[in-house]
Amino acid sequence: MMRLLHMIAVIAVVMGSANLRAEPEVAAPITPSPEVVQALPRPDAICLALPLTGPHAALGLTVARQIEDVVASSGRKVVRIDTHPSVTAVPLAMARARESGCAAVLGGIGDREAVAMADAAVAAGIPLLSLGRIPDGHARGGVVWARTSREDIMGALARYLVFEQKVQQATVVYDSSGYGRSTAALFAKTFGEAGGTIVLQQEAGDAAAVAATAKTLAASRKALVNASTCVPEALVLAVEFQAARRLVPFIDFEGMLRSEGRCPGMILAGPSVWNDPLRVARAGDALSGAVFADVIVPDEMARSSPADMEICDAARLALTATGAAALPVPGGAIWEGIHWRGCSGDLAVVGGRVTGRTIGIFRIERGRIEPWTSSN
């Protein structure tokens, strides 16, 4: 009997030991300290996704050098990534950015490239400072539009014409490029919102088409003059400066810019790409009296163009926002509300866009560009 009890006790002990081995201990989760988290490696390079070869290489290389000049003093690594030949290269550029340990990417100069790059940056999970001037209206948590939008600039021009010059009607001439079409559409939209009416939108082509366009516009205006129903009008040329120089003589020949009877001459207006002091100086009296809107450059940046200034702003934002004290929030709107000192002055990111710059109206007069005031 004693022997039987002893065997039962041994079996119980063995089974109890087996049960203990069948339910191993679960270790408590380990939470790294803030010091450990800060010590983990993180992306640090500033990457530039630009057209570095092909037809737009000159522009891409110029922008790259401008950004590198700003970043140089920080000691941060800069990685150049070529987006040529087309927007199809953008996803590959973002893959390269991930491999290169990019804390942020600056790029997307052209309209189509800017939108494609914004989508690719979100897919890759890399913060993008877009250098395009045409946000497409889609909110993207990982994208900041670093430059003043073309809609804001054309909107300022539209409001100036309606509220300061009392213009009621406008005719818009544009070229066949994506830039020309989008600029014309943005002006038409903002001019309508300000209370103006678009009378005609006309595409200008080669020399023969330009002459035909001028005659078409002149005939439309002549009908209003003859009927004594003319109102203050504007002629908006959504074309490059050189193209405007070719078009204006035909328009001037038809008398559209001169007063006739009780009808004032049409006000000539254009896009911000006319803000080119060298070309304007070479043009002499061509386009005298024309107006355009653009970002105002502070006195301390007087030798820089608005585009140069905005690119400098973007580079300084990249350095400020990716520094040790200001990491982007994963999955959130990057850098929303951040303030920094840019080349334009004191700036902030609001609604995924850089804010704080001022847009002004400029007038071309005898080979010079002058800020518009009520006295001129």
Side-chain angles (χ1 to χ4, degrees):
M1 184 70 174
M2 292 296 294
R3 186 171 193 155
L4 178 61
L5 291 173
H6 177 72
M7 290 178 64
I8 292 172
V10 170
I11 292 171
V13 170
V14 171
M15 290 183 66
S17 300
N19 286 338
L20 288 173
R21 287 195 296 270
E23 297 178 6
E25 278 188 38
V26 178
I30 299 174
T31 303
S33 67
E35 292 77 12
V36 172
V37 171
Q38 290 180 3
L40 293 173
R42 62 182 179 83
D44 186 63
I46 302 297
C47 292
L48 315 179
L50 300 163
L52 303 176
T53 58
H56 304 296
L59 175 60
L61 291 169
T62 298
V63 172
R65 285 191 290 269
Q66 290 173 328
I67 295 173
E68 287 168 346
D69 287 344
V70 177
V71 176
S73 60
S74 70
R76 299 277 290 276
K77 178 183 177 183
V78 176
V79 177
R80 290 186 178 188
I81 302 173
D82 192 3
T83 57
H84 180 72
S86 66
V87 293
T88 57
V90 167
L92 296 176
M94 283 300 167
R96 167 97 187 277
R98 284 185 66 87
E99 296 170 358
S100 302
C102 298
V105 175
L106 291 86
I109 298 177
D111 292 354
R112 291 177 61 231
E113 185 179 287
V115 173
M117 192 166 290
D119 290 335
V122 172
I126 301 175
L128 170 70
L129 283 167
S130 177
L131 302 179
R133 264 191 161 176
I134 187 161
D136 61 356
H138 297 295
R140 297 177 180 84
V143 178
V144 171
W145 297 90
R147 300 186 63 195
T148 305
S149 76
R150 198 148 68 241
E151 181 173 352
D152 289 345
I153 291 172
M154 296 309 290
L157 177 64
R159 290 187 292 274
Y160 160 77
L161 292 172
V162 171
F163 301 127
E164 295 292 339
Q165 299 298 329
K166 311 304 179 186
V167 169
Q168 298 179 32
Q169 297 180 167
T171 295
V172 183
V173 177
Y174 57 91
D175 60 33
S176 59
S177 68
Y179 172 84
R181 291 178 180 277
S182 64
T183 300
L186 290 172
F187 176 80
K189 173 180 179 290
T190 54
F191 188 68
E193 291 171 347
T197 300
I198 299 295
V199 177
L200 177 68
Q201 293 192 63
Q202 177 78 36
E203 181 178 335
D206 56 20
V210 165
T213 296
K215 289 185 178 297
T216 299
L217 300 177
S220 174
R221 175 174 166 77
K222 186 69 70 177
L224 295 175
V225 172
N226 292 339
S228 297
T229 57
C230 52
V231 296
E233 293 181 277
L235 176 61
V236 180
L237 304 182
V239 299
E240 298 282 347
F241 185 79
Q242 292 300 101
R245 282 192 64 186
R246 292 192 295 270
L247 181 58
V248 165
F250 292 96
I251 293 172
D252 198 37
F253 178 78
E254 298 292 343
M256 296 172 61
L257 304 179
R258 297 191 297 271
S259 298
E260 189 171 350
R262 293 188 301 170
C263 298
M266 300 179 80
I267 296 175
L268 184 62
S272 59
V273 291
W274 290 8
N275 194 0
D276 189 328
L278 185 58
R279 285 187 174 180
V280 169
R282 289 174 177 171
D285 288 341
L287 273 66
S288 279
V291 294
F292 61 86
D294 204 356
V295 176
I296 294 175
V297 176
D299 291 340
E300 58 268 27
M301 294 287 294
R303 294 188 177 183
S304 300
S305 69
D308 296 338
M309 182 180 69
E310 290 177 324
I311 289 165
C312 175
D313 291 338
R316 288 189 179 182
L317 171 58
L319 292 175
T320 301
T322 61
L327 292 177
V329 179
I334 63 167
W335 312 329
E336 184 69 17
I338 193 171
H339 290 72
W340 80 104
R341 180 68 180 177
C343 295
S344 304
D346 294 322
L347 305 173
V349 175
V350 178
R353 297 169 63 176
V354 171
T355 63
R357 304 186 186 107
T358 303
I359 299 173
I361 302 298
F362 298 87
R363 179 184 173 94
I364 296 175
E365 198 63 55
R366 297 179 182 177
R368 293 173 58 87
I369 298 174
E370 302 173 350
W372 175 84
T373 64
S374 56
S375 62
N376 65 0

